[in-house]
Amino acid sequence: MNKQQNILIIGAGLCGSLLALRLGQRGYNVTLMEMRPDLRKVDISVGRSINLALSDRGIKAMQLVGLEEKVKPLCIPMNGRMLHDLEGNTVLAPYSGREHEYINSISRGLLNGLLLDEAEKHDNVVIHFNKKCESVDFESTTALFTDTETNKPFVEDADIIIATDGAGSAMRNSYYLGKKFLFSFSQDWLSHGYKELCFLPNENGDYKTYTNALHIWGREAFMLIALPNLDGSFTVTLFLSFDEGEYNFNNLTTKERVLEFFSKYFKDALELMPNLVDDFFENPTSPLGTVKCSPWHYKGNTLLMGDAAHAIVPFYGQGMNASFEDVTEFDKILDQGHPDWETVFKAYEKSRKKDTDAIADLAIDNFHEMKGHVNHANFREKRTLEMAFEKNFPNEYSSKYSLVTFNEDVSYRDAMLRGRAQDKAILNMLSDGDITTVNNLTNDQLRNTLDKVKTATEAILEDDRIAGLK
Ligand code: FAD
């Protein structure tokens, strides 16, 4: 395809800036339009997650654009979940039995800034800030923008337009409102929203609690999590219902009530947050939802990517990783040498949509796992067994979490099907007493247990195949 063509990308967030960089590397003429000011010059973090968990699928995309070494210094490894109970007791539950498998806490702003810096190094990539897309005419491949500094509207013409403008995508809205083709769209809100809080560093600038973990205070109906930042602070996120339960966002309206809630459920976290009340009332409460839609493209003119095509709830730590993987997968399709954009877009959506649907569903599952199941005895027994399998037979077993997070060459859909089958097999056999946990198991017994789990898993997968699920 002709590289002299002009590609307009709307939204210079994580996906858009990576895509601009990759298409720039491939030699295309790219214009990237972002509605906000340049985040490298102005602090615009308020109301968005300040740090994120970057894992292997995201790192694979960084390798594709040659940025792995530049991203590493921005990362803080998190080896497992640090579970905090009501009394403040903690236990570290590793993410994997293989030591080299961990996730990384990374600053959204620093990562986005790095991608913009690298994209801008290419003469064929031009980035404009303060340009808000209002709508897209997908038949004429033009987009209407407002310059947010002058308030003046203008129209931008392109050969193709790719919208990476996030969960509230303006182009997706144009697809929906245009009613020019059969466009399916669903948006499912969670009953829970989120609010960001903070553990500041101590007087020496050090971390106030253990650094290399994702801290979780799971309380069944709600939870608090904390991820470390490079400056010694933690970003703390409260996930809570808007209007259900004794304590919810709608009724936490006074300082006394917020303190009562935290001292009852998150006592040890409260001790690290003298700033709690100010943060609680200054920081916004935001909703969480899942967006699915199809098709993602209109003929060979326009395409949705990243959250604009498939926003998910954040509980698997995979939204950004999936959006980065979009770019890796799109790049693979470009390598196939299709004759025109319509064929490229079709091939991309065909191979990708089943996987983004799968991670959307897995992310909802993990919401329940993180806030409640992690504290249940049968769940912990399953994890103990899985850790032992991964440690003792590293080439033979990967848990669902490992398949999703550390096996970037296994598709999300395959990870979901196999992971769910394994979970079912282990939990059923544990409750029937067919297998037991590792504490007293010899290596031979553990081997025997793994063989049983494998056989039961294959039987479940076979049932799924017969039922047409695979
Ligand atoms: P965005 O990052 O939303 O970028 C969209 C860009 O488009 C923005 O720069 C925006 O300003 C711009 N824009 C929007 N509208 C317009 C317009 N009309 N015109 C021009 N520009 C526009 N993912 C993980 O992988 N790991 C995590 O740990 C994780 N934690 C999360 C925690 C929370 C609380 C939340 C809410 C999300 C989390 N995610 C996580 C998900 C992740 O943030 C998103 O999946 C990711 O940001 C998607 O990237 P994107 O570029 O598609 O969209």
Side-chain angles (χ1 to χ4, degrees):
M1 273 172 313
N2 177 7
K3 298 242 165 125
Q4 293 314 306
Q5 286 187 329
N6 295 314
I7 301 179
L8 170 63
I9 301 176
I10 303 169
L14 294 166
C15 185
S17 16
L18 175 66
L19 181 68
L21 168 58
R22 186 59 194 152
L23 293 178
Q25 289 176 334
R26 290 187 77 109
Y28 291 103
N29 288 329
V30 177
T31 304
L32 178 57
M33 296 282 201
E34 166 59 41
M35 76 173 181
R36 293 169 189 247
D38 187 344
L39 54 71
R40 293 165 298 178
K41 299 178 183 151
V42 185
D43 179 12
I44 51 169
S45 57
V46 174
R48 316 196 69 219
S49 72
I50 294 160
N51 55 22
L52 305 135
L54 174 71
S55 51
D56 293 29
R57 291 172 201 270
I59 292 169
K60 183 175 175 182
M62 297 301 106
Q63 287 164 346
L64 174 73
V65 292
L67 283 187
E68 193 187 6
E69 291 310 312
K70 289 194 178 169
V71 167
K72 262 188 198 156
L74 308 180
C75 289
I76 304 174
M78 297 184 290
N79 297 304
R81 295 165 168 161
M82 184 68 83
L83 306 175
H84 297 246
D85 72 12
L86 275 173
E87 280 73 46
N89 303 310
T90 56
V91 52
L92 181 64
Y95 280 121
S96 165
R98 289 174 284 263
E99 272 182 19
H100 63 276
E101 292 184 337
Y102 52 83
I103 61 174
N104 301 278
S105 178
I106 192 164
S107 147
R108 181 191 289 274
L110 292 179
L111 180 57
N112 207 154
L114 172 66
L115 292 169
L116 290 170
D117 284 347
E118 295 295 320
E120 246 173 13
K121 286 183 184 166
H122 295 266
D123 292 342
N124 49 331
V125 177
V126 182
I127 309 176
H128 298 285
F129 296 94
N130 304 303
K131 309 284 182 279
K132 179 172 189 260
C133 177
E134 305 293 350
S135 61
V136 173
D137 183 333
F138 40 84
E139 288 179 313
S140 65
T141 330
T142 55
L144 173 65
F145 286 89
T146 300
D147 183 321
T148 56
E149 287 176 311
T150 62
N151 241 351
K152 292 221 165 85
F154 66 96
V155 171
E156 190 75 12
D157 199 351
D159 294 304
I160 62 163
I161 301 177
I162 304 183
T164 51
D165 50 348
S169 171
M171 189 167 93
R172 196 187 61 228
N173 210 26
S174 296
Y175 278 2
Y176 183 70
L177 296 175
K179 297 190 170 42
K180 299 265 173 59
F181 61 106
L182 293 177
F183 180 64
S184 304
F185 167 67
S186 70
Q187 179 160 318
D188 292 319
W189 295 111
L190 220 56
S191 53
H192 286 53
Y194 74 98
K195 185 185 279 291
E196 284 180 341
L197 305 162
C198 180
F199 296 162
L200 293 169
N202 66 21
E203 314 77 63
N204 311 323
D206 291 335
Y207 295 96
K208 278 186 182 160
T209 184
Y210 182 73
T211 317
N212 295 109
L214 191 156
H215 293 260
I216 305 184
W217 293 256
R219 300 292 182 258
E220 300 285 344
F222 45 84
M223 72 172 165
L224 192 71
I225 66 168
L227 277 75
N229 296 309
L230 288 173
D231 66 358
S233 67
F234 283 80
T235 300
V236 179
T237 311
L238 171 65
F239 295 96
L240 179 69
S241 171
F242 282 104
D243 54 10
E244 284 164 14
E246 186 188 353
Y247 296 94
N248 57 53
F249 277 125
N250 289 352
N251 69 24
L252 286 178
T253 51
T254 62
K255 174 182 166 183
E256 291 70 28
R257 208 164 148 72
V258 170
L259 288 172
E260 177 188 297
F261 174 52
F262 273 75
S263 45
K264 190 161 171 190
Y265 290 105
F266 312 117
K267 205 168 49 168
D268 57 330
L270 178 61
E271 283 162 17
L272 308 180
M273 283 196 279
N275 46 314
L276 169 69
V277 171
D278 288 346
D279 286 354
F280 195 93
F281 290 109
E282 271 166 29
N283 295 349
T285 306
S286 307
L288 293 163
T290 303
V291 169
K292 289 183 181 172
C293 65
S294 73
W296 288 344
H297 67 102
Y298 178 75
K299 298 187 176 166
N301 299 5
T302 57
L303 174 71
L304 297 164
M305 258 182 155
D307 272 17
H310 48 74
I312 62 178
V313 294
F315 304 105
Y316 232 112
Q318 285 295 317
M320 162 186 66
N321 289 288
S323 299
F324 282 172
E325 195 177 64
D326 282 0
V327 178
T328 317
E329 292 301 306
F330 190 66
D331 194 67
K332 257 194 221 161
I333 303 286
L334 287 177
D335 281 345
Q336 292 169 359
H338 294 286
D340 53 58
W341 286 112
E342 183 161 8
T343 323
V344 168
F345 293 172
K346 263 192 189 149
Y348 166 70
E349 182 168 348
K350 185 161 190 287
S351 81
R352 187 75 185 132
K353 174 123 173 69
K354 58 183 176 359
D355 291 322
T356 58
D357 283 349
I359 191 59
D361 296 349
L362 283 166
I364 298 278
D365 290 356
N366 228 35
F367 173 50
H368 302 294
E369 182 169 320
M370 285 174 80
K371 68 185 172 52
H373 301 173
V374 287
N375 300 322
H376 296 174
N378 60 351
F379 177 85
R380 288 199 182 184
E381 259 186 303
K382 176 176 82 70
R383 287 300 289 164
T384 311
L385 208 46
E386 292 190 299
M387 290 300 112
F389 290 161
E390 289 182 344
K391 189 160 183 258
N392 292 284
F393 309 105
N395 301 321
E396 288 191 58
Y397 188 84
S398 286
S399 69
K400 183 173 74 185
Y401 188 86
S402 288
L403 288 166
V404 169
T405 310
F406 307 123
N407 283 268
E408 66 279 15
D409 296 324
V410 175
S411 72
Y412 280 130
R413 184 169 159 79
D414 286 348
M416 177 182 78
L417 292 172
R418 173 159 292 276
R420 283 182 174 169
Q422 285 174 175
D423 285 355
K424 215 190 233 179
I426 297 179
L427 288 170
N428 280 343
M429 287 196 288
L430 278 174
S431 83
D432 292 348
D434 291 342
I435 57 174
T436 175
T437 34
V438 282
N439 296 342
N440 303 316
L441 294 186
T442 62
N443 212 41
D444 282 353
Q445 287 169 321
L446 189 62
R447 164 84 265 164
N448 188 27
T449 307
L450 175 58
D451 289 342
K452 281 186 180 172
V453 168
K454 279 181 171 179
T455 307
T457 301
E458 288 312 318
I460 294 168
L461 285 171
E462 184 53 26
D463 284 351
D464 286 353
R465 265 187 289 270
I466 292 166
L469 291 175
K470 198 168 156 61

